[in-house]
Amino acid sequence: MNEIGAQIDLSHPSDRVWQALTNPQLLTRWFTETEVVTEAPRRLLLHTAGLPGFHAAVDAEVTERRAPELLVLHCQEGDRRTRLTCAVTPTPEGCRLSVQETMEHGAWPAEDRDSRERYYQQTLTGRLPAILDWLAFQQVDLRRGEGRPTTELPVIGAAPAPTDRRRRPVLVAALAGAVLATGAVVWALLPDAPDPAAGPDPLPPPPTAATTGSPALRATPSTRPTPTAASSAARPSRTPTAAPSRTPTSVAPATTAMTARYQTTATRLFGYTGQVVLDNPAGPAAKDWTLVVTLAERGTLTSANGADWRQDGQTVTFTGSPVPAGRSQTITFDVRDTDPRTKAPESCTIGDDPCAGL
């Protein structure tokens, strides 16, 4: 196989995604460290050595550029030569970004190809949306009440523009400082580049249900009457009676249901990445399953791996092939939510049982 690729639906306009693709400083933040070759502006040096599926830095040259729709690069990595195509297609919710790399000379070992493709998918679904959210935050309009609308933030240290002193300049300045400070914090807290080789943080083991006795087997304290002389005299003898037979009766084995564990593996300013692990305890056969995740009011699922899915309002239904006995199935999904406080779904159930971790 000489081609790998990944794609994601984003709730951002095409021009913002184009900026994240073509600005070397932004590309460094979500993909890898990028350096522009001074004597050849169309050439880039991508410091990819050591990344999953990469063994050397990539010398890339832009061969086609149609903003904000298409970017094509010819890449030289050691003795391999590939063509990397980034296509941006508008959608009703924003745009779709497709990344495709085709081998032109050389070959990828199967392990390198799979690791490389996973790295593309992880950066597209994790770090890129965080950068796009940060760019959107920068476009907050702080001068709407000062005249004609503008999306430019005030520049620290620049001479202030003339304003009407009857307005409230102190309040405007305070708001500008607060937004700038918050933006700086968001940038500083963006996660470092993920290490796909290490995998996601392990989920906690399924909780062990507390053992409770059957009502028929619980010990019930009896009310003992106060002994009297008459009752003592009438007390029967302690002649032992025959013990009941202990012959065991056949009991049908209980069928263990599927269980699920939820964890938020990454957060962004306007969304998060969730992960659910389905477990089929050791049993006689594989089990069918349906996982239902309820998002917050403004939540939208943008992509998922490990299952088929459909969203109806706030409800997202995941389905897939049966899970063999003693095995697990992992589902990872990305959620876009305009409320920055939302970092997990409202509920998660498999069958009639809730997922652990929520």
Side-chain angles (χ1 to χ4, degrees):
M1 183 177 180
N2 293 324
E3 188 175 275
I4 60 176
Q7 71 175 27
I8 182 176
D9 289 329
L10 298 162
S11 54
H12 291 273
S14 299
D15 57 347
R16 187 175 297 148
V17 176
W18 181 259
Q19 186 179 356
L21 286 173
T22 56
N23 185 314
Q25 293 181 345
L26 297 178
L27 198 59
T28 294
R29 294 296 299 179
W30 70 269
F31 183 67
T32 191
E33 184 179 351
T34 304
E35 180 182 348
V36 178
V37 180
T38 307
E39 60 275 14
R42 297 176 67 88
R43 286 181 56 196
L44 300 171
L45 184 62
L46 307 178
H47 296 274
T48 51
L51 293 179
F54 294 85
H55 295 285
V58 172
D59 189 349
E61 181 179 4
V62 178
T63 59
E64 189 173 356
R65 177 187 175 113
R66 295 202 309 266
E69 301 172 356
L70 183 67
L71 183 68
V72 180
L73 301 95
H74 275 182
C75 304
Q76 188 74 39
E77 178 194 359
D79 58 352
R80 301 173 185 167
R81 187 172 65 252
T82 63
R83 183 177 71 255
L84 183 64
T85 303
C86 303
V88 183
T89 307
T91 64
E93 294 78 21
C95 69
R96 173 173 297 168
L97 172 61
S98 300
V99 175
Q100 187 176 67
E101 188 171 19
T102 305
M103 180 67 69
E104 294 185 335
H105 177 76
W108 286 306
E111 183 179 354
D112 285 354
R113 184 186 65 240
D114 294 343
S115 298
R116 197 178 186 113
E117 192 167 39
R118 281 196 302 270
Y119 183 70
Y120 281 139
Q121 188 66 37
Q122 288 176 351
T123 54
L124 291 186
T125 59
R127 297 180 62 79
L128 176 59
I131 290 296
L132 295 173
D133 289 343
W134 181 81
L135 288 175
F137 178 83
Q138 283 192 313
Q139 297 175 356
V140 174
D141 183 7
L142 297 179
R143 298 177 179 174
R144 188 173 301 276
E146 295 294 332
R148 65 180 183 85
T150 175
T151 59
E152 297 178 0
L153 288 176
V155 179
I156 298 177
T163 58
D164 186 351
R165 295 186 178 274
R166 290 175 297 177
R167 299 184 183 271
R168 290 176 291 178
V170 175
L171 176 59
V172 173
L175 286 174
V179 172
L180 285 171
T182 307
V185 171
V186 172
W187 177 263
L189 294 181
L190 284 174
D192 291 333
D195 183 4
D201 294 337
L203 292 174
T208 304
T211 304
T212 56
S214 170
L217 300 179
R218 291 174 184 162
T220 304
S222 59
T223 303
R224 179 174 294 178
T226 304
T228 61
S231 62
S232 299
R235 183 177 299 166
S237 64
R238 296 180 179 270
T239 305
T241 59
S245 171
R246 294 181 177 272
T247 303
T249 58
S250 60
V251 179
T255 301
T256 306
M258 292 271 291
T259 61
R261 295 171 280 150
Y262 172 82
Q263 183 183 38
T264 297
T265 59
T267 60
R268 299 177 290 279
L269 181 60
F270 296 115
Y272 57 92
T273 299
Q275 178 177 275
V276 177
V277 177
L278 309 179
D279 293 306
N280 181 9
K287 290 186 176 67
D288 294 322
W289 56 272
T290 299
L291 178 72
V292 178
V293 174
T294 303
L295 305 179
E297 183 179 357
R298 290 173 291 275
T300 302
L301 196 73
T302 59
S303 64
N305 292 317
D308 298 323
W309 61 276
R310 69 177 186 276
Q311 181 169 356
D312 184 9
Q314 295 176 244
T315 303
V316 182
T317 303
F318 296 91
T319 55
S321 56
V323 178
R327 302 292 295 275
S328 299
Q329 173 75 19
T330 300
I331 302 168
T332 304
F333 55 89
D334 291 285
V335 176
R336 164 78 177 178
D337 197 302
T338 56
D339 186 347
R341 297 170 297 179
T342 304
K343 301 304 176 188
E346 290 186 351
S347 67
C348 168
T349 59
I350 179 168
D352 296 326
D353 300 323
C355 304
L358 272 180

